[in-house]
Amino acid sequence: AWRIAYISSDVNDLKTISTGLLIAPVGPAPKGGRPVVAWSHGTTGSAQNCGPSQQINPAVPLNEYYLMNGNSWEDYGVLSLPEFIKEGYVVVATDYQGLGAGGKHQYSVGQTQGRDVINSIRAAGTFKEVGASKKALLYGWSQGGYSVLAAGGSGAYLAKNGTAFDGVELVGVVALSPVNLSGVAQVAMSSSQTPEQALEKITAPLSQSIFTWAHLAGMMYGLQAAYPGKLQLTDWFTPEGAKVFDQLSNNKCFHVLSDSLSYTYGDNYKSLVRTTPGNAKAWIDALIAGGIPNNKPLAPVLVYRGTKDAVPKPMVDIYESQMCKLGANVKHIEMDGATHFTSPVEAQKTFLPWVKDRFDKKPLDNACPGS
């Protein structure tokens, strides 16, 4: 296993540097090379020290801080790593831009993180020691689920020539508890009379507790980082809120950031945002532009969500409906009783054989409703 740094680009086509992990089986690759699986992690934060590859021993199975067997203050590791190495795959796991190599992290700007995961595959392909083939599959959780859904619809970006590793062939996408901010924004705009009403529909469900509100605030902070010429933190935050969130986001990973908010503001966290946000239309436009492209995915998509998940079911339903109308093959699995933190491990039971079948080119019926 290696820690890597590689060139990527954000939603505005500005070049960035991303860090991550590259993990491969020991020994020479078979003729034709090894398939590549690319992991996109969930929320860790926006500070430079929040990249999962920065852990002391990062090349391990997914270690969730929230569960009893977690041993860190942030999630790190790679889901299904032992199983994929045993199958003979190369595994690459991006940290995303801004989480280790400079620049401000564009949290929950799906197309930026989607490009990071695409370019992680290209980086793996240049590494002669691992013997990567052109066949690749994307899988991600939460923020990473949004990332891989965005990447799966980024056909023009994937097909670019003159990259470090041209001709990557995507065989499948697995999204675990994915957020879908762009889809929700589109529905909110279509059902609202004003952008302000639409923004309220998007933000209100995520403002009911300080923990979920911290995620929302991080999303707005990440959007402003991606579109600094169009958005200002003080459009949405109060002056105090902008100062507080800028300080916390630049210094603390997410769950410690949330603890700091709880300790300092308690039930008064909503005092950090404006009663009526300004520039609402620009924020809605940014949510849509930076999210999942309205294109048919390049490969079959398998989406999971727990029935007790923190991700609202409409986020997944909207994606399924939009993509199936475009002719995609989307299978949506609701896992009974699973939470946001138990869903990745539970989903392995069915996505591991599905991944193998995609690399083996086995036939697959269209799973969209009515197909």
Side-chain angles (χ1 to χ4, degrees), residues 198-221:
L199 197 57
E200 173 67 15
K201 287 180 180 180
I202 296 165
T203 59
L206 297 172
S207 302
Q208 303 307 307
S209 73
I210 196 166
F211 184 72
T212 55
W213 180 86
H215 283 80
L216 171 63
M219 293 171 191
M220 305 306 260
Y221 186 85

Side-chain angles (χ1 to χ4, degrees), residues 1-259:
W2 299 262
R3 289 183 175 92
I4 61 172
Y6 60 95
I7 302 297
S8 189
S9 60
D10 70 4
V11 66
N12 302 307
D13 290 323
L14 297 175
K15 285 190 176 181
T16 60
I17 300 176
S18 293
T19 54
L21 284 175
L22 179 60
I23 309 156
V26 174
K31 186 177 180 181
R34 295 182 171 114
V36 180
V37 287
W39 167 245
S40 285
H41 65 79
T43 298
T44 59
S46 294
Q48 290 295 323
N49 61 326
C50 301
S53 75
Q54 297 174 43
Q55 292 283 340
I56 293 172
N57 182 25
V60 296
L62 181 62
N63 186 299
E64 295 181 70
Y65 94 100
Y66 208 79
L67 301 183
M68 290 297 290
N69 60 352
N71 64 9
S72 181
W73 56 92
E74 289 293 336
D75 303 315
Y76 71 98
V78 180
L79 182 65
S80 306
L81 177 61
E83 291 84 358
F84 285 146
I85 293 297
K86 186 177 179 180
E87 286 291 341
Y89 305 154
V90 173
V91 181
V92 65
T94 181
D95 287 337
Y96 311 133
Q97 54 74 233
L99 301 185
K104 187 176 283 189
H105 179 50
Q106 298 173 13
Y107 175 58
S108 284
V109 179
Q111 287 193 44
T112 292
Q113 280 100 70
R115 293 179 176 200
D116 289 336
V117 71
I118 288 171
N119 287 315
S120 74
I121 298 168
R122 291 170 173 159
T126 69
F127 220 82
K128 305 298 184 186
E129 292 87 343
V130 304
S133 76
K134 301 284 186 176
K135 295 186 183 300
L137 180 139
L138 313 177
Y139 73 127
W141 170 47
S142 192
Q143 177 188 6
Y146 195 36
S147 162
V148 298
L149 293 180
S154 299
Y157 191 83
L158 189 66
K160 279 187 174 183
N161 292 318
T163 71
F165 193 61
D166 289 350
V168 172
E169 178 190 348
L170 193 63
V171 302
V173 177
V174 179
L176 309 158
S177 300
V179 295
N180 180 10
L181 302 175
S182 56
V184 169
Q186 290 172 40
V187 171
M189 274 298 287
S190 66
S191 62
S192 302
Q193 294 183 335
T194 66
E196 289 75 16
Q197 289 180 351
L199 197 57
E200 173 67 15
K201 287 180 180 180
I202 296 165
T203 59
L206 297 172
S207 302
Q208 303 307 307
S209 73
I210 196 166
F211 184 72
T212 55
W213 180 86
H215 283 80
L216 171 63
M219 293 171 191
M220 305 306 260
Y221 186 85
L223 276 177
Q224 194 277 329
Y227 301 101
K230 299 177 181 178
L231 308 175
Q232 299 296 320
L233 289 179
T234 49
D235 293 338
W236 194 76
F237 291 96
T238 64
E240 179 186 4
K243 182 179 178 180
V244 165
F245 219 82
D246 191 61
Q247 180 182 17
L248 290 176
S249 297
N250 282 305
N251 289 285
K252 300 190 179 189
C253 297
F254 180 77
H255 300 295
V256 181
L257 176 153
S258 180
D259 289 343

